[in-house]
Amino acid sequence: MPKPSVLVLRAPGTNCDQESAYAFELAGATAERVHIQQLLDDPTLLVKHQILCLPGGFSYGDDIASGRILANQLAHHLSDSLHQFRSAGKLILGICNGFQILIKSGLLLADDPKAGPAATLDWNANGRFEDRWVHLQAASNRSVFLNGIEQMYLPVAHGEGRFVPRSKEILDQLETSGQLVLRYCGNGQSANQPSGDGVLEYPINPNGSLANVAGVCDETGRVLGLMPHPERHIDLTHHPRWTRGEGRDPGDGLRMFQNAVEFFK
């Protein structure tokens, strides 16, 4: 069977596109890095790919708000093509800045024309950029990308990663539907996460996300946005304490990319 093909979308300020493309290739896919201007000029570039990846970085310098400008480009110029891509049963992954773009473009969670976005990614509760490693738990089996994953240890690097839904009702709806698929947790914590908006203490929850949310999927489970960087831990030696005997081989993040490839087998 031919390898699934990944379009890794980059823009001015994107800086994780090469690592994301490499992770997909290591998992058994082929990957093509495409500049946003190329896609705007020819939206049919999406057709030949099975996976769309929006990698991390600081697209357009995060002017206005993180991911806002690229999100607006997608929403206003590529909305039809992207919705067709999703409706065709294909996969979309947004990592860090990519998560912010998915949220703000309406590709991940549908916006209400009157009330506005269902959720946003706000400034970290401590007001600082957070660059650290965090423990994570898969809180639902809804997402294709998290199939068979229970826990991961991945790095985060963001200033605007605090998940805030528009209302308590929306948070409860996402909880009930199993869309709050990844959460921050303590080392060795059980897979049973507290429900509701209870926030674990810093730095276990590095940004103050409600319900300790680190990743959200759409209703189909084929679109995933997450703040941590799986592409930065695909090898044992990426673990910050691998020389002390900690970590697994391969790194915890690789399984996510393998799941995407296996989805098309």
Short mmCIF file of all heavy atoms in Angstrom, two decimals, residues 95-125:
data_model
loop_
_atom_site.label_atom_id
_atom_site.label_comp_id
_atom_site.label_asym_id
_atom_site.label_seq_id
_atom_site.Cartn_x
_atom_site.Cartn_y
_atom_site.Cartn_z
N ILE A 95 -0.26 21.37 16.25
CA ILE A 95 0.63 21.29 17.40
C ILE A 95 0.98 22.69 17.87
O ILE A 95 1.52 23.50 17.09
CB ILE A 95 1.93 20.53 17.04
CG1 ILE A 95 1.61 19.12 16.53
CG2 ILE A 95 2.87 20.47 18.24
CD1 ILE A 95 2.81 18.40 15.93
N CYS A 96 0.71 23.02 19.12
CA CYS A 96 1.05 24.29 19.74
C CYS A 96 0.46 25.45 18.93
O CYS A 96 -0.74 25.69 18.99
CB CYS A 96 2.56 24.41 19.90
SG CYS A 96 3.07 25.74 21.02
N ASN A 97 1.26 26.17 18.16
CA ASN A 97 0.73 27.24 17.33
C ASN A 97 -0.33 26.70 16.37
O ASN A 97 -1.31 27.37 16.06
CB ASN A 97 1.86 27.90 16.54
CG ASN A 97 1.49 29.25 15.97
OD1 ASN A 97 1.50 29.45 14.75
ND2 ASN A 97 1.14 30.21 16.82
N GLY A 98 -0.15 25.45 15.94
CA GLY A 98 -1.14 24.81 15.08
C GLY A 98 -2.46 24.59 15.80
O GLY A 98 -3.54 24.70 15.20
N PHE A 99 -2.42 24.28 17.09
CA PHE A 99 -3.62 24.15 17.91
C PHE A 99 -4.33 25.50 17.99
O PHE A 99 -5.56 25.60 17.83
CB PHE A 99 -3.22 23.65 19.30
CG PHE A 99 -4.36 23.35 20.25
CD1 PHE A 99 -5.67 23.25 19.82
CD2 PHE A 99 -4.09 23.15 21.60
CE1 PHE A 99 -6.70 22.96 20.72
CE2 PHE A 99 -5.11 22.85 22.50
CZ PHE A 99 -6.41 22.76 22.05
N GLN A 100 -3.55 26.55 18.23
CA GLN A 100 -4.12 27.89 18.29
C GLN A 100 -4.80 28.26 16.96
O GLN A 100 -5.88 28.86 16.94
CB GLN A 100 -3.01 28.90 18.62
CG GLN A 100 -2.43 28.69 20.01
CD GLN A 100 -1.05 29.32 20.20
OE1 GLN A 100 -0.34 29.57 19.24
NE2 GLN A 100 -0.68 29.56 21.45
N ILE A 101 -4.18 27.86 15.86
CA ILE A 101 -4.75 28.15 14.54
C ILE A 101 -6.03 27.37 14.32
O ILE A 101 -7.03 27.91 13.81
CB ILE A 101 -3.70 27.82 13.45
CG1 ILE A 101 -2.53 28.79 13.54
CG2 ILE A 101 -4.33 27.90 12.05
CD1 ILE A 101 -1.29 28.31 12.79
N LEU A 102 -6.05 26.09 14.70
CA LEU A 102 -7.25 25.28 14.54
C LEU A 102 -8.42 25.84 15.34
O LEU A 102 -9.56 25.87 14.87
CB LEU A 102 -6.98 23.84 14.98
CG LEU A 102 -6.12 22.97 14.06
CD1 LEU A 102 -5.95 21.58 14.67
CD2 LEU A 102 -6.71 22.87 12.67
N ILE A 103 -8.14 26.28 16.57
CA ILE A 103 -9.18 26.86 17.41
C ILE A 103 -9.72 28.15 16.81
O ILE A 103 -10.94 28.36 16.69
CB ILE A 103 -8.64 27.12 18.84
CG1 ILE A 103 -8.51 25.81 19.63
CG2 ILE A 103 -9.51 28.12 19.58
CD1 ILE A 103 -9.82 25.30 20.23
N LYS A 104 -8.81 29.04 16.38
CA LYS A 104 -9.23 30.37 15.95
C LYS A 104 -9.77 30.40 14.53
O LYS A 104 -10.41 31.38 14.13
CB LYS A 104 -8.05 31.34 16.11
CG LYS A 104 -7.70 31.57 17.58
CD LYS A 104 -6.41 32.31 17.79
CE LYS A 104 -6.11 32.40 19.28
NZ LYS A 104 -4.81 33.02 19.57
N SER A 105 -9.54 29.33 13.78
CA SER A 105 -10.10 29.26 12.43
C SER A 105 -11.46 28.57 12.41
O SER A 105 -12.15 28.58 11.38
CB SER A 105 -9.14 28.49 11.51
OG SER A 105 -9.04 27.13 11.91
N GLY A 106 -11.85 27.94 13.52
CA GLY A 106 -13.10 27.22 13.58
C GLY A 106 -13.02 25.82 13.00
O GLY A 106 -14.05 25.14 12.88
N LEU A 107 -11.82 25.35 12.65
CA LEU A 107 -11.67 24.02 12.07
C LEU A 107 -11.81 22.91 13.11
O LEU A 107 -12.18 21.79 12.79
CB LEU A 107 -10.30 23.88 11.40
CG LEU A 107 -10.20 24.33 9.95
CD1 LEU A 107 -8.74 24.33 9.51
CD2 LEU A 107 -11.02 23.43 9.04
N LEU A 108 -11.51 23.22 14.35
CA LEU A 108 -11.53 22.21 15.40
C LEU A 108 -12.87 22.16 16.12
O LEU A 108 -13.49 21.11 16.25
CB LEU A 108 -10.39 22.47 16.39
CG LEU A 108 -10.24 21.50 17.55
CD1 LEU A 108 -10.07 20.07 17.07
CD2 LEU A 108 -9.06 21.89 18.43
N LEU A 109 -13.30 23.31 16.63
CA LEU A 109 -14.58 23.43 17.32
C LEU A 109 -15.42 24.47 16.60
O LEU A 109 -14.97 25.59 16.37
CB LEU A 109 -14.37 23.85 18.78
CG LEU A 109 -13.51 22.91 19.63
CD1 LEU A 109 -13.30 23.51 21.02
CD2 LEU A 109 -14.15 21.53 19.75
N ALA A 110 -16.63 24.10 16.23
CA ALA A 110 -17.48 25.00 15.45
C ALA A 110 -17.83 26.26 16.24
O ALA A 110 -18.14 26.20 17.44
CB ALA A 110 -18.75 24.27 15.04
N ASP A 111 -17.75 27.40 15.57
CA ASP A 111 -18.13 28.67 16.18
C ASP A 111 -19.64 28.85 16.12
O ASP A 111 -20.31 28.34 15.22
CB ASP A 111 -17.47 29.85 15.46
CG ASP A 111 -15.96 29.85 15.62
OD1 ASP A 111 -15.46 29.11 16.49
OD2 ASP A 111 -15.30 30.60 14.89
N ASP A 112 -20.18 29.57 17.09
CA ASP A 112 -21.59 29.97 17.07
C ASP A 112 -21.68 31.35 16.43
O ASP A 112 -21.02 32.28 16.91
CB ASP A 112 -22.13 30.01 18.50
CG ASP A 112 -23.61 30.29 18.57
OD1 ASP A 112 -24.07 31.24 17.91
OD2 ASP A 112 -24.33 29.57 19.28
N PRO A 113 -22.44 31.51 15.34
CA PRO A 113 -22.50 32.82 14.65
C PRO A 113 -22.87 33.97 15.57
O PRO A 113 -22.45 35.11 15.33
CB PRO A 113 -23.58 32.59 13.59
CG PRO A 113 -23.60 31.12 13.36
CD PRO A 113 -23.29 30.51 14.70
N LYS A 114 -23.65 33.69 16.62
CA LYS A 114 -24.07 34.76 17.53
C LYS A 114 -23.18 34.86 18.75
O LYS A 114 -22.78 35.96 19.14
CB LYS A 114 -25.51 34.51 17.97
CG LYS A 114 -26.53 34.62 16.83
CD LYS A 114 -27.94 34.42 17.36
CE LYS A 114 -28.96 34.55 16.23
NZ LYS A 114 -30.36 34.35 16.72
N ALA A 115 -22.86 33.72 19.35
CA ALA A 115 -22.11 33.73 20.61
C ALA A 115 -20.60 33.78 20.42
O ALA A 115 -19.87 34.18 21.32
CB ALA A 115 -22.49 32.52 21.46
N GLY A 116 -20.12 33.35 19.24
CA GLY A 116 -18.68 33.38 18.97
C GLY A 116 -18.03 32.02 19.15
O GLY A 116 -18.71 30.99 19.19
N PRO A 117 -16.70 31.99 19.25
CA PRO A 117 -15.96 30.72 19.36
C PRO A 117 -16.37 29.91 20.58
O PRO A 117 -16.70 30.47 21.63
CB PRO A 117 -14.50 31.18 19.46
CG PRO A 117 -14.48 32.56 18.90
CD PRO A 117 -15.80 33.16 19.24
N ALA A 118 -16.33 28.59 20.42
CA ALA A 118 -16.66 27.71 21.54
C ALA A 118 -15.61 27.77 22.64
O ALA A 118 -15.92 27.57 23.81
CB ALA A 118 -16.81 26.28 21.04
N ALA A 119 -14.36 28.04 22.25
CA ALA A 119 -13.26 28.08 23.22
C ALA A 119 -12.11 28.89 22.63
O ALA A 119 -12.09 29.18 21.43
CB ALA A 119 -12.79 26.67 23.58
N THR A 120 -11.19 29.24 23.49
CA THR A 120 -9.99 29.93 23.02
C THR A 120 -8.78 29.42 23.79
O THR A 120 -8.92 28.67 24.77
CB THR A 120 -10.12 31.46 23.19
OG1 THR A 120 -9.04 32.11 22.52
CG2 THR A 120 -10.09 31.84 24.67
N LEU A 121 -7.60 29.81 23.35
CA LEU A 121 -6.37 29.54 24.07
C LEU A 121 -5.82 30.88 24.52
O LEU A 121 -5.31 31.67 23.72
CB LEU A 121 -5.38 28.78 23.18
CG LEU A 121 -5.81 27.34 22.87
CD1 LEU A 121 -5.05 26.78 21.69
CD2 LEU A 121 -5.62 26.44 24.10
N ASP A 122 -5.95 31.14 25.80
CA ASP A 122 -5.64 32.45 26.36
C ASP A 122 -4.21 32.48 26.90
O ASP A 122 -3.51 31.47 26.92
CB ASP A 122 -6.63 32.75 27.48
CG ASP A 122 -6.81 34.24 27.74
OD1 ASP A 122 -6.02 35.03 27.19
OD2 ASP A 122 -7.72 34.60 28.51
N TRP A 123 -3.80 33.67 27.37
CA TRP A 123 -2.48 33.81 27.97
C TRP A 123 -2.35 32.86 29.16
O TRP A 123 -3.30 32.62 29.90
CB TRP A 123 -2.27 35.25 28.46
CG TRP A 123 -2.01 36.22 27.36
CD1 TRP A 123 -2.90 37.05 26.76
CD2 TRP A 123 -0.76 36.44 26.69
NE1 TRP A 123 -2.30 37.78 25.77
CE2 TRP A 123 -0.98 37.43 25.70
CE3 TRP A 123 0.52 35.89 26.83
CZ2 TRP A 123 0.03 37.88 24.86
CZ3 TRP A 123 1.53 36.35 25.99
CH2 TRP A 123 1.28 37.34 25.03
N ASN A 124 -1.16 32.31 29.32
CA ASN A 124 -0.88 31.46 30.48
C ASN A 124 -1.26 32.20 31.76
O ASN A 124 -1.05 33.41 31.89
CB ASN A 124 0.59 31.08 30.53
CG ASN A 124 1.01 30.23 29.34
OD1 ASN A 124 0.19 29.69 28.62
ND2 ASN A 124 2.32 30.12 29.15
N ALA A 125 -1.79 31.47 32.72
CA ALA A 125 -2.29 32.08 33.95
C ALA A 125 -1.21 32.85 34.70
O ALA A 125 -1.49 33.86 35.35
CB ALA A 125 -2.90 31.01 34.85
#
